């Protein structure tokens, strides 16, 4: 008697078509995501097997002397779900035996789940209001020459450069103070968001900001920092 075990892992959508099961043995999950684990047993021996036990290192007993006839060359598939809040290794052991349990075979396999890593990148720009009229073509200036008492515009663009979905946002500016405080907005991996603030300047001013993002559970966070400079020159203004 002999069996082989193949474990796979993914979200529920990966297991919607049993005729085309996934082959992934690792998965990057969001915090508190419910993932699905597949256990596929194949009878690679020469005799039918009718009693089955399946134990997972994280989920415990899944099958306990479960009865189904498993012919040579045939396969059987079991799905289990688990909610993950940390990097986790799921190791499965499937034991199959003949009817009277006089012969048995055991196979093992494992899959790994890693939590998505958060990371963001902040870019600040500065200019007068006309520089921010076309969001599809945002300015790139980090320095601006302003007249005394001029109202200038500062842009804050955050990009999610990590794998984690970030949903809560704080922005602190060294001059303007708190701009966002626990603001709800879903920033998916690879996506960007843009905010514009105005300030009236009478002296040379350095605006430094930190944008902090968190996931829903506030268990993961990432922050980005940047700065822009405004210099006062009588009667003249320009942007680099």
């Amino acid at each position: 008697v002999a069996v082989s075990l193949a474990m796979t892992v993914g979200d529920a959508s990966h297991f919607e078509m049993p005729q085309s099961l996934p082959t992934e043995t690792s998965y990057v999950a969001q915090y508190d995501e419910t993932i699905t684990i597949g256990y596929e047993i194949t009878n690679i021996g020469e005799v039918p097997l009718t009693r089955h036990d399946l134990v997972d290192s994280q989920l415990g007993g899944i099958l306990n002397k479960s009865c189904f006839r498993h012919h040579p060359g045939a396969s059987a598939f079991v799905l289990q779900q688990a909610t993950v809040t940390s990097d986790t290794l799921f190791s499965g052991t499937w034991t199959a035996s003949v009817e009277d349990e006089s012969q048995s075979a055991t196979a093992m396999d494992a899959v790994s789940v890693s939590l998505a890593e958060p990371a963001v990148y902040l870019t600040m720009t500065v200019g007068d209001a006309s520089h921010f009229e076309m969001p599809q073509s945002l300015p790139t200036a980090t320095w601006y020459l302003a007249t005394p008492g001029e109202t200038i515009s500062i842009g804050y663009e955050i990009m999610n450069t990590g794998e984690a979905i970030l949903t809560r946002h704080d922005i602190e500016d060294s001059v303007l103070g708190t701009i966002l405080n626990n603001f709800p907005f879903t920033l998916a991996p690879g996506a960007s968001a843009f905010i514009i603030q105005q300030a009236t300047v009478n002296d040379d001013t350095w605006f430094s900001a930190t944008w902090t993002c968190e996931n829903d559970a506030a268990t993961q966070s990432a922050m980005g920092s940047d700065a822009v400079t405004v210099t006062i020159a009588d009667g003249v203004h320009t942007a680099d």
Side-chain angles (χ1 to χ4, degrees), residues 73-155:
S75 296
F77 200 84
V78 172
L79 297 179
Q80 290 290 293
Q81 290 188 322
T83 301
V84 290
T85 57
S86 62
D87 296 347
T88 308
L89 179 70
F90 295 84
S91 176
T93 302
W94 193 315
T95 301
S97 62
V98 297
E99 182 68 31
D100 62 3
E101 300 186 29
S102 60
Q103 299 180 81
S104 65
T106 298
M108 299 178 67
D109 199 12
V111 294
S112 61
V113 178
S114 302
L115 282 190
E117 291 291 336
V120 296
Y121 187 82
L122 176 63
T123 301
M124 290 177 62
T125 52
V126 64
D128 62 25
S130 67
H131 291 121
F132 293 87
E133 290 175 353
M134 298 177 64
Q136 67 273 26
S137 179
L138 295 171
T140 58
T142 58
W143 173 81
Y144 183 73
L145 196 60
T147 57
E150 182 179 353
T151 298
I152 54 98
S153 294
I154 303 168

Side-chain angles (χ1 to χ4, degrees), residues 168-186:
R168 297 286 173 175
H169 305 269
D170 298 330
I171 302 177
E172 289 289 333
D173 187 288
S174 59
V175 177
L176 302 178
T178 300
I179 298 171
L180 294 180
N181 181 22
N182 200 32
F183 182 78
F185 174 77
T186 298

Side-chain angles (χ1 to χ4, degrees), residues 28-95:
V28 177
Q30 301 298 318
Y31 182 88
D32 209 30
E33 181 180 352
T34 298
I35 54 99
T36 301
I37 303 165
Y39 308 79
E40 185 176 21
I41 193 76
T42 301
N43 186 342
I44 58 175
E46 300 176 341
V47 298
L49 300 169
T50 57
R51 300 278 181 177
H52 302 269
D53 295 314
L54 175 58
V55 178
D56 186 281
S57 58
Q58 301 295 328
L59 304 178
I62 298 170
L63 299 179
N64 182 19
K65 298 191 183 302
S66 180
C67 296
F68 62 89
R69 195 166 185 82
H70 195 205
H71 292 282
S75 296
F77 200 84
V78 172
L79 297 179
Q80 290 290 293
Q81 290 188 322
T83 301
V84 290
T85 57
S86 62
D87 296 347
T88 308
L89 179 70
F90 295 84
S91 176
T93 302
W94 193 315
T95 301

